[in-house]
């Protein structure tokens, strides 16, 4: 039984397959439409659908030249709802943990709007603690890329005050760890609530390329 559970989890442990199942929970669809909604190529969508079909998660029928898919038998909509609920529970738990960390360490987080104001009024050292691969496609203008794993060895090159660290989103733990590390070594540092997506959502343009 546990081996069967593991096989089910392995099949579902793919965000693209979950995206396809989410779309099929709305009803039967052609593979071309599924690929479009899930932002996949038709070939990639077909490959994932075959895996789901082998596991009994979807069924298929041909209608003319189209291959139509629908959810398989069983409480699959309940399974998808349970996964969504658990993911939301984990997100809230992480958010609460971050809030407690900041409270216990007396750390403050700033918003994108506050960052923009401070960047216009004073010199800010903006540290992007994501990996180099994440930094290159897009980052906040003027930021320096120091992945969290390299921060300890490179922090001596940073000024002691007015440091703001950011990561990939409001719930990324790396920026919290960066601020904690910097503060413990006598630096004045704050965490940005969010990252490049929040910066762009505020109507600002991100930069591309290396540090």
């Amino acid at each position: 039984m546990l081996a069967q559970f593991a096989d089910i989890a392995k099949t579902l442990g793919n965000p693209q397959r979950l995206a396809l199942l989410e779309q099929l929970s709305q009803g039967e669809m052609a593979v071309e439409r599924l690929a479009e909604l899930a932002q996949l190529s038709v070939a990639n969508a077909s490959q994932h659908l075959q895996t789901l079909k082998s596991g009994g998660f979807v069924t298929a029928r041909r209608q003319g030249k189209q291959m139509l898919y629908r959810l398989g038998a069983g409480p699959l909509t309940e399974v998808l709802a349970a996964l969504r609920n658990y993911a939301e529970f984990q997100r809230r738990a992480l958010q609460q943990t971050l809030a407690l960390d900041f409270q216990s360490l007396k750390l403050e987080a700033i918003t994108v709007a506050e960052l923009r104001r401070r960047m216009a009024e004073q010199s800010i050292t903006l540290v992007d603690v994501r990996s180099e691969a994440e930094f290159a496609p897009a980052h906040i203008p003027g930021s320096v890329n120091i992945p969290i794993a390299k921060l300890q060895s490179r922090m001596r090159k940073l000024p002691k005050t007015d440091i703001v660290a950011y990561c990939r989103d409001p719930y990324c733990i790396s920026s919290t760890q960066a601020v904690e590390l910097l503060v413990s070594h006598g630096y004045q540092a704050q965490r940005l609530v969010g990252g490049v997506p929040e910066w762009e959502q505020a109507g600002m343009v991100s930069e591309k390329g290396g540090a």
Side-chain angles (χ1 to χ4, degrees):
M1 183 64 72
L2 291 177
Q4 184 180 8
F5 289 168
D7 288 340
I8 291 172
K10 183 178 180 180
T11 302
L12 293 179
N14 181 289
Q16 296 173 330
R17 290 176 202 153
L18 289 174
L20 291 168
L21 290 174
E22 285 282 357
Q23 296 302 329
L24 286 174
S25 67
Q26 308 302 315
E28 187 178 59
M29 292 186 195
V31 63
E32 292 82 5
R33 180 58 176 161
L34 279 169
E36 179 185 357
L37 292 173
Q39 298 183 339
L40 300 171
S41 67
V42 173
N44 197 5
S46 297
Q47 184 177 11
H48 285 301
L49 286 165
Q50 287 303 310
T51 300
L52 290 169
K53 183 180 177 183
S54 298
F57 294 98
V58 302
T59 61
R61 68 183 181 90
R62 185 173 291 280
Q63 181 175 286
K65 295 183 178 181
Q66 283 190 318
M67 184 64 73
L68 302 177
Y69 287 86
R70 65 188 306 169
L71 289 181
L76 284 172
T77 54
E78 289 86 345
V79 171
L80 293 173
L83 288 172
R84 285 194 299 271
N85 290 338
Y86 187 67
E88 178 62 20
F89 166 79
Q90 290 245 347
R91 186 191 67 79
R92 284 201 214 100
L94 178 57
Q95 190 174 16
Q96 291 172 355
T97 299
L98 291 176
L100 289 173
D101 284 345
F102 283 125
Q103 184 177 8
S104 64
L105 292 167
K106 293 183 172 55
L107 302 179
E108 295 182 2
I110 65 171
T111 64
V112 167
E114 174 66 11
L115 175 64
R116 290 171 60 186
R117 184 189 66 78
R118 290 179 56 186
M119 289 173 71
E121 296 177 355
Q122 66 187 96
S123 177
I124 295 291
T125 301
L126 195 55
V127 180
D128 185 323
V129 296
R130 298 175 300 163
S131 68
E132 295 173 0
E134 291 176 287
F135 179 82
H139 52 269
I140 298 176
S143 58
V144 58
N145 183 214
I146 306 179
I148 185 64
K150 300 179 180 179
L151 183 58
Q152 175 118 27
S153 62
R154 293 176 58 182
M155 70 168 64
R156 64 182 179 276
K157 297 181 180 179
L158 296 173
K160 282 289 187 177
T161 61
D162 298 322
I163 298 174
V164 176
Y166 74 91
C167 191
R168 65 182 61 89
D169 58 49
Y171 311 108
C172 179
I173 197 70
S174 294
S175 57
T176 303
Q177 294 172 332
V179 172
E180 180 181 358
L181 179 62
L182 289 165
V183 170
S184 69
H185 283 77
Y187 290 79
Q188 180 197 14
Q190 292 177 298
R191 169 182 174 269
L192 178 66
V193 180
V196 173
E198 288 70 26
W199 177 263
E200 293 178 343
Q201 287 167 14
M204 305 298 287
V205 178
S206 60
E207 285 185 345
K208 298 181 180 181

